[in-house]
Each structure stands twice: as structure tokens, then as C-alpha cells.
Amino acid sequence: MPGFNPMIANDGNFPSQAKPRLLVVDDQPTNIQVMYQILAQDYQVLMATSGKQALALCENKHPDLILLDLIMPEMDGYEVCQLLKRNTVTKDIPIIFITAQTDESAEEKGLDLGAVDFISKPINPRIVRARVKTHLMLKAQSDLLRSWAYLDGLTGVHNRRYFDEHLTTEIGRAVRNNSAMSLVMLDVDFFKRYNDKYGHQAGDDCLRRVAHSLRTSLMRPGDHIARYGGEEFVCLLPETGFSGAMQLAEQIRKEIIDQQIEHADSSVAPYVTVSLGVGTKPENVHASANALMSLADAQLYKAKEAGRHRIFGAELK
Ligand code: GH3
Ligand code: MG
């Protein structure tokens, strides 16, 4: 087939990013070619001829949907499905099983393992296109709902739920890779007085401006900002050692006071200020999410105790 690339193919009419990305997994290249011809017009089509290759492609290329052959040598479709559902990176990718097996128990087993649908061979192109379209739409809707459930409605940064889930994943990754990781916790100083003087609406605006300063200061794509509680925020900084995190905390402190948000009742400055606590897991140190969180929190407490509008930091041993 001209231009047929065994790993990635599309018809070239549209930029590939504009099209949803499908992964077709089948040990028979001729079956893959049939699927390719049915789907390449509307989708970017990734292809794998073994379960192992499929798992690697899912981790690296994040397809939007998988069409998975059930019967394959070495690793069958059930096993591939199970492994994908166990991995946090791939568990939400919808899987449609493609199979020549017509008995209901095979279908039941597949659905039990988390597949969204079953298509039997020989395939009918119109049915394949229709089901793919439906499941991609459902996936897009659930992605959108999930992203809303992880956002803080007031400030637009992530919420505590997202942060808690992410922290566990990120610390696991940092321990595996022996890399450093830091947290910056931040709390607005005398915010109760701010609300009392300027009103709750102004208080809300102030929190939005603090979130804006955090967004401005954090530049790396892996960094995450979350609103952890009322006027408390936390920044998760993968691959960041102690001095880098302290520098960033200083930048945030400065960014916020430089906004000159009037706060006449603050005891530390005529403007809104924040106190910050930095906690670092250095390279080659094993640590839990709780230990890192407690460290950053304790540092924030010290900053408050020492007079507010300042930064304290420490590293885990
Ligand atoms: P400190 O410097 O020790 O942190 O003092 P504080 O006044 O900032 O801390 P305290 O915990 O006493 O008060 C926090 C205030 O933040 C009280 C609460 O009404 C306010 N707050 C919490 N969430 C929100 C919110 O979403 N919007 C507004 N406007 N205020 C909030
Ligand atoms: Mg406060």
C-alpha cells in the first residue's frame, strides 16, 4: 500500500493533530490494512501487530480509542486489556474488541474487563465507523467532565482532589527515577482581615489574582498549581531541587506583593502578601507524599510564626 507506515499512517489531507488517534491491534497485517482503509479518512491510525507493541504505543502516543483483536499469539486481547486498565496512564482509553468468536461468554468476559464494545468479524465497515464515532464522542464528553471535576471553580487552577491524586503519582515517579521533587505551599497573610475590610467579593478577586501570580511564575509544563484550601495554594514541582524551589518561592512572593493589592489592615505591608513553605525530596532519597506534604506545611507554619511575608524551606533526609 503506497505510504502505508506500519506504525503511524493517515491520508495526509488534514494535520494529524486535528484527527482523533486510533490504535488498531491485530497480529494479521491484512486485517490491519482493512481497518486502515475504513478509518484513515477520518482518523489518525496507529498500528500494532502484538500486545507488547500495543502497550508501548499506548504509553507513548496516547490513542483516543483502541480496536483490539481478541485472539493473538503470546499476549491475547484480554491480557492487553487488563494491563491497560491497570495502568493509570492508559486506563481511560476506551477499548473495542474485534473478534471472530461469536459466543456470548467471550463478549461478557471482555466487557467485564472494561472494554466498551465488541465488534465481530467479518467486519462491516459502516458498523465499525459508527461505533468508533460513538465511543470517541463518549470519551470526549467524559474527558471534559473529568477535567471540570479537577478544577477549582473560583480560580481556575486545579483543586485539592486533583493535587492529592497527582502528588502520589509524581512522588512515585520521582522515587523510581531517583529525581528531586519539591512542593511550595502558600497562604495569604491576614486574609480574614482582608475579607472583613473589603468584603467577600473582593476577597474572591484577591484569590484569583494570587492564582494568576502563581501561573505567571510557574513556567515548566510539568509544574502543577492547586488551591488546597480557602486561601492556601500548593505548587508541585517535579525534577526541582531545593535551591530551584526556593528561587521560585521568592519569585512568587515578589510577584504577589508587586501586584500592590491594597490591604490596609495587614500588619506586614500595605499590600496583600503571602507566606511560603518549601519542602524538597532530594535526588536519591525515598519519601512518601505525606512526608513531603508535612514538611512543606511545617515550613509554612514557621514562616507565619516568624512574622509572615517570608519563606522557610527544608529538605527531607
Ligand atoms: P494568617 O496570616 O495567619 O494566615 O491569617 P488569615 O486571616 O489569613 O487566616 P485565617 O485562617 O484566620 O483566615 C482565613 C480566611 O480566609 C477566613 C475565610 O473567611 C477566608 N476564606 C477562605 N476561603 C475563602 C474564599 O473562597 N473566598 C473568600 N473571599 N475568603 C475565603
Ligand atoms: Mg491566611
Side-chain angles (χ1 to χ4, degrees):
M1 197 188 294
F4 186 87
N5 175 328
M7 297 296 275
I8 296 191
N10 69 58
D11 63 353
N13 287 339
F14 303 96
S16 57
Q17 297 96 311
K19 294 179 175 184
R21 188 179 282 191
L22 309 181
L23 170 63
V24 178
V25 189
D26 199 306
D27 58 309
Q28 302 290 330
T30 47
N31 289 344
I32 295 191
Q33 282 188 16
V34 171
M35 280 294 189
Y36 173 81
Q37 272 159 355
I38 295 172
L39 298 164
Q41 175 85 21
D42 302 312
Y43 306 107
Q44 186 187 170
V45 183
L46 305 165
M47 289 161 260
T49 50
S50 71
K52 206 171 151 202
Q53 202 183 13
L55 294 173
L57 274 172
C58 285
E59 279 251 9
N60 300 323
K61 304 269 182 196
H62 311 289
D64 298 294
L65 184 143
I66 305 166
L67 293 152
L68 180 58
D69 184 26
L70 191 55
I71 318 272
M72 293 187 291
E74 292 166 37
M75 195 187 287
D76 68 12
Y78 292 133
E79 196 179 341
V80 176
C81 179
Q82 254 170 334
L83 290 169
L84 289 171
K85 294 293 160 195
R86 249 185 245 155
N87 182 339
T88 46
V89 179
T90 56
K91 73 177 170 45
D92 296 317
I93 308 172
I95 297 171
I96 301 178
F97 273 123
I98 311 285
T99 179
Q101 283 203 336
T102 47
D103 68 295
E104 280 190 351
S105 65
E107 186 164 341
E108 211 178 290
K109 183 172 172 188
L111 296 173
D112 276 349
L113 290 176
V116 293
D117 213 341
F118 243 78
I119 297 177
S120 41
K121 291 183 195 169
I123 53 170
N124 172 333
R126 288 169 66 175
I127 289 183
V128 171
R129 278 196 212 101
R131 295 212 175 148
V132 164
K133 195 172 161 196
T134 300
H135 288 295
L136 281 173
M137 198 179 69
L138 290 170
K139 166 77 165 32
Q141 285 172 348
S142 66
D143 283 353
L144 191 65
L145 284 177
R146 212 182 350 260
S147 71
W148 286 347
Y150 282 127
L151 286 186
D152 171 50
L154 180 68
T155 61
V157 299
H158 283 121
N159 59 20
R160 181 172 183 161
R161 182 167 152 212
Y162 177 89
F163 176 81
D164 287 341
E165 288 180 22
H166 228 70
L167 176 62
T168 312
T169 315
E170 286 295 338
I171 198 117
R173 196 199 310 269
V175 167
R176 267 197 313 283
N177 298 340
N178 292 320
S179 56
M181 176 179 152
S182 295
L183 292 183
V184 177
M185 290 201 78
L186 160 164
D187 186 282
V188 181
D189 297 325
F190 300 116
F191 195 56
K192 187 173 177 325
R193 293 188 199 169
Y194 187 90
N195 271 311
D196 290 347
K197 182 162 181 75
Y198 301 100
H200 209 81
Q201 290 278 11
D204 285 357
D205 278 344
C206 175
L207 293 177
R208 287 193 199 98
R209 292 178 72 175
V210 168
H212 175 76
S213 288
L214 293 175
R215 282 207 197 91
T216 311
S217 304
L218 267 66
M219 302 300 282
R220 290 198 199 164
D223 296 344
H224 286 288
I225 306 162
R227 184 164 167 224
Y228 201 69
E231 21 87 78
E232 192 174 10
F233 293 83
V234 58
C235 308
L236 188 161
L237 314 170
E239 315 261 334
T240 308
F242 185 64
S243 64
M246 289 296 281
Q247 268 174 36
L248 193 81
E250 171 55 20
Q251 200 179 318
I252 294 168
R253 186 200 61 76
K254 192 165 176 310
E255 193 78 44
I256 289 169
I257 194 162
D258 283 354
Q259 285 204 48
Q260 303 198 343
I261 307 166
E262 186 190 303
H263 191 348
D265 284 351
S266 166
S267 305
V268 284
Y271 307 117
V272 166
T273 60
V274 293
S275 300
L276 302 103
V278 173
T280 297
K281 179 202 96 60
E283 288 173 8
N284 301 318
V285 170
H286 278 240
S288 67
N290 273 345
L292 190 57
M293 200 63 202
S294 305
L295 181 69
D297 198 37
Q299 299 306 306
L300 172 58
Y301 184 77
K302 281 188 189 171
K304 289 279 181 191
E305 286 287 287
R308 298 176 175 79
H309 191 211
R310 65 197 66 206
I311 306 160
F312 271 67
E315 296 181 87
L316 288 170
K317 298 259 174 342

